[in-house]
Amino acid sequence: MLIVSLALLALALHWFSRPQRVADLILAQAGDALDLEITAAGASDYRLYGSAMLVIRDVVVREPKSKALVLRAERLLLELPWSTIRSRGADLTVKRVELDAPVLDLAALQKWQASRPPSGPARMPRLTDGLHIVRGEVIGDGWRVQAIDVDLPLLDPDRPVRAHLMGRIASDSLQVPFNVHAGLTRPAADAGLGVSGRLEPQSPPWSLPMHATLSGRLHNDDDGVGLDDLRLGADATYRNAGTDVPFTLGLAGPLRFHDGRLGFTNLGVALWGAGVVPKLQGAGSLMFGDTLELRLQGALQSWPRAWPALPAPLSESTSPLPFLLDYRGRADLSDTTQLMLSRDQTRFDGRLRLPAVLAWVDTFGRQSPLPPLEGHLSSPKLEIAGATLEGVEVEFHDGALP
C-alpha cells in the first residue's frame, strides 16, 4: 500500500510539474461549462504556495460550431485563495485577474450569448484585488475601441464599483481618445452607471476636445445591450486651423448595441453656445456601424448674429427655424448632408458638406458671400439691395458636391 501511495504521489508531482497540462485541464473544464472552445498555445505557469495563481498565454476562445473567434489574449493571470478552491464553487472569491492585450468581438459574443439556454441570475464573483487590463481591444461593425486600459481596484456584489478607463474609439476617418472615471451603483444587470472625464473626437484638421458627464441604467435584453435613461452633457470646443468655437451639448435617450451597430433610435439633442453656435433642440436617431447615420428634426431658436445676415423680412422675424437634417456616410461628417431649413413661408431644401460650410463661416467676408451648398430656396418676398423681390425662387449650385 505504501509503495502504491508513493507511486501515485510521484505521478501527481510529475503531472503538476507541467504547467501546460494544468492549464489545458482547467481550460477544458471551463470550455465545457460555457460551451466554448478555449485553448492556450503559449507557455503557461502556476503557483501553489500562498494563494493559487495560474498564468496562461496566447489564449483563444472560439464558438465551437462556427469556430468564430470570441476572445483572444496574450496573457491571462488568475489568482485566487485556496478557500475558493476548497469550496468547489460555493465561494466565488478571486484575488486578482489580469488581461494583457485581450481582443473581444462583440458580435460573436452576442451570438454565443443568444445560443445559451435560459438560466437563472448569474452569480457575481468577488475580486478582492481587482481587475487590470492593458492594451485591450473591442471590435464592432466598422469601429473598434483600441488601446484599452482598465483599472478596477475592487469588485464586490454588495458594494459600488469604481474604475478608471483609457482608450481610443476608432473608425476609418475618426478617432476618439478618452480618459474617464466610471462608477456603478452595484455590479448588476440593471445598475446605475455614471461616467465623467475627457474625450476628443478628431479627424484632422479638426478636433473636438470636451469634458463629458454621462449617466444611465444598464440594459441587457433581446434588443441588445446598452443604457436606459441615458443623459449626457458635454462642454466642448471645436478647433480647426486656429479657430476655437466653444459650445455645450446635451444628449438623451436609450443607447443600444445590437447586431454590431451602436446608437440611439430615439434621441433628444440640445445645443447652445455663443458666436456662430446656434441654439437648437431636436429629436431623431443616431446609428454607428460601418457608416454613421444621423437623422434629426427640430428647430433653431433664432438665427445667430455671427452668421451672415438674412435679408428682410427674414431678418425681422422672431420665429424659430424648423430644420430636418439627414446624413449617412463617414463618421467625420465629411460626406453629403441633406438639409431642410425654413422660417415662416421661406424654405430651403438642399445638400451640403459640413466641413466646407464650417470653413466658409470661419472665413465669411474674405471669400464668397454665398455658402458652399446646393439646393432650392423659395420665398414669397425678399428685400435685397433696396429692391423688393416677390415670388422668389433661387437655385444654389456647388461644383464640389457630387
Side-chain angles (χ1 to χ4, degrees):
M1 188 65 173
L2 179 60
I3 294 175
V4 173
S5 300
L6 290 174
L8 291 174
L9 177 61
L11 181 63
L13 290 174
H14 174 72
W15 191 85
F16 274 105
S17 68
R18 306 207 173 182
Q20 192 61 48
R21 292 187 178 182
V22 177
D24 290 344
L25 175 63
I26 292 174
L27 293 180
Q29 291 179 336
D32 290 342
L34 297 172
D35 193 23
L36 288 168
E37 183 182 290
I38 308 176
T39 60
S44 301
D45 194 9
Y46 68 89
R47 183 190 70 199
L48 300 178
Y49 60 90
S51 57
M53 183 187 73
L54 177 66
V55 177
I56 308 172
R57 293 180 173 83
D58 299 333
V59 181
V60 175
V61 180
R62 296 183 183 274
E63 200 278 326
K65 295 180 181 178
S66 67
K67 301 299 181 182
L69 182 65
V70 178
L71 173 72
R72 69 174 184 266
E74 289 183 4
R75 172 180 170 270
L76 165 64
L77 178 145
L78 178 66
E79 186 176 359
L80 62 163
W82 282 102
S83 58
T84 300
I85 299 174
R86 289 193 295 267
S87 72
R88 298 185 178 184
D91 184 359
L92 294 184
T93 298
V94 176
K95 189 171 183 182
R96 185 168 177 82
V97 176
E98 295 180 3
L99 282 165
D100 292 356
V103 179
L104 175 67
D105 189 312
L106 278 181
L109 175 65
Q110 287 192 322
K111 184 177 179 181
W112 166 76
Q113 288 178 324
S115 70
R116 297 283 291 163
S119 61
R123 296 177 61 198
M124 181 65 60
R126 178 179 286 104
L127 305 182
T128 58
D129 282 4
L131 168 70
H132 187 62
I133 298 174
V134 295
R135 296 180 289 115
E137 184 172 356
V138 175
I139 301 174
D141 183 8
W143 57 273
R144 295 171 179 255
V145 185
Q146 302 172 322
I148 302 172
D149 286 357
V150 177
D151 186 17
L152 189 155
L154 172 70
L155 179 66
D156 189 307
D158 301 319
R159 298 178 61 180
V161 180
R162 294 178 176 83
H164 180 210
L165 302 93
M166 299 173 60
R168 179 179 64 253
I169 304 169
S171 69
D172 289 341
S173 54
L174 183 69
Q175 305 279 325
V176 187
F178 61 87
N179 185 342
V180 300
H181 292 268
L184 283 173
T185 54
R186 63 189 187 284
D190 60 347
L193 171 69
V195 180
S196 180
R198 297 196 63 81
L199 57 154
E200 185 174 350
Q202 49 190 237
S203 181
W206 65 265
S207 64
L208 196 65
M210 66 178 69
H211 186 279
T213 301
L214 176 149
S215 65
R217 183 167 47 85
L218 298 184
H219 175 96
N220 186 4
D221 210 332
D222 293 340
D223 62 343
V225 298
L227 291 173
D228 288 331
D229 304 321
L230 179 145
R231 298 288 187 274
L232 182 145
D235 291 321
T237 301
Y238 170 78
R239 290 178 175 165
N240 189 353
T243 299
D244 286 5
V245 181
F247 63 91
T248 300
L249 173 69
L251 301 177
L255 175 68
R256 294 289 184 270
F257 176 82
H258 187 62
D259 291 337
R261 291 164 58 80
L262 177 71
F264 304 83
T265 56
N266 185 13
L267 174 68
V269 177
L271 175 71
W272 62 96
V276 298
V277 180
K279 183 178 181 180
L280 65 83
Q281 291 182 325
S285 62
L286 172 65
M287 300 302 297
F288 188 48
D290 55 350
T291 60
L292 175 66
E293 299 177 24
L294 172 62
R295 184 173 178 83
L296 198 63
Q297 185 170 3
L300 278 67
Q301 299 306 304
S302 61
W303 186 262
R305 292 184 178 181
W307 287 11
L310 294 173
L314 295 177
S315 59
E316 300 165 359
S317 174
T318 58
S319 301
L321 295 92
F323 71 87
L324 175 62
L325 183 147
D326 199 347
Y327 176 85
R328 180 186 175 95
R330 286 172 289 187
D332 61 358
L333 297 175
S334 61
D335 286 315
T336 303
T337 298
Q338 304 287 335
L339 175 67
M340 186 284 291
L341 182 65
S342 63
R343 172 173 254 180
D344 300 327
Q345 299 180 58
T346 299
R347 176 184 172 111
F348 171 77
D349 287 280
R351 306 186 305 150
L352 58 90
R353 290 184 189 269
L354 184 60
V357 172
L358 291 174
W360 175 80
V361 170
D362 290 341
T363 59
F364 178 73
R366 303 193 302 271
Q367 295 187 13
S368 169
L370 297 178
L373 46 79
E374 183 174 282
H376 179 82
L377 182 141
S378 62
S379 178
K381 184 173 70 172
L382 291 179
E383 297 178 9
I384 301 176
T388 299
L389 307 178
E390 296 183 349
V392 178
E393 304 284 339
V394 180
E395 294 288 338
F396 290 83
H397 295 280
D398 180 13
L401 287 169

